[in-house]
Amino acid sequence: MRTLVDTSSLVSLARYYYPFDSTEILNEYLNSEIDSGNIIVLDKIAEEVKYVSGGMAVEAFSCLKDNNRVVSTKRPYSETAVL
């Protein structure tokens, strides 16, 4: 199953869970799921999350800084393609 993540979810993860993640498991999990295509971050969300709550989600999760992990809304998306 593939999941589109939204800004509120990313900010909530950064606010409520990331401070207690001393081993970086959450960041590794997000990276892994994005790389496998199970979690999809659209470019519009990656841009918006920079400005919400002072960009705390971007600071917490390195995957949001990597444009190669972000799906462009300017091209059609194929459900069968591996991202």
Side-chain angles (χ1 to χ4, degrees):
M1 176 170 73
R2 293 184 181 185
T3 305
L4 286 171
V5 68
D6 66 343
T7 301
S8 296
S9 298
L10 292 169
V11 171
S12 291
L13 281 172
R15 179 176 286 139
Y16 300 115
Y17 297 100
Y18 184 74
F20 303 103
D21 184 24
S22 60
T23 59
E24 294 285 322
I25 294 282
L26 183 56
N27 203 14
E28 289 176 21
Y29 173 77
L30 284 174
N31 284 329
S32 170
E33 291 299 298
I34 289 170
D35 288 344
S36 70
N38 292 330
I39 293 178
I40 300 166
V41 180
L42 298 175
D43 57 353
K44 302 297 183 187
I45 300 299
E47 187 63 29
E48 180 182 45
V49 81
K50 292 176 186 176
Y51 305 106
V52 176
S53 296
M56 70 182 342
V58 174
E59 294 302 315
F61 307 122
S62 60
C63 55
L64 299 175
K65 298 175 188 175
D66 185 355
N67 288 335
N68 294 325
R69 291 187 167 140
V70 174
V71 175
S72 173
T73 54
K74 293 181 182 178
R75 65 175 173 85
Y77 176 74
S78 169
E79 290 185 9
T80 59
V82 176
L83 300 176

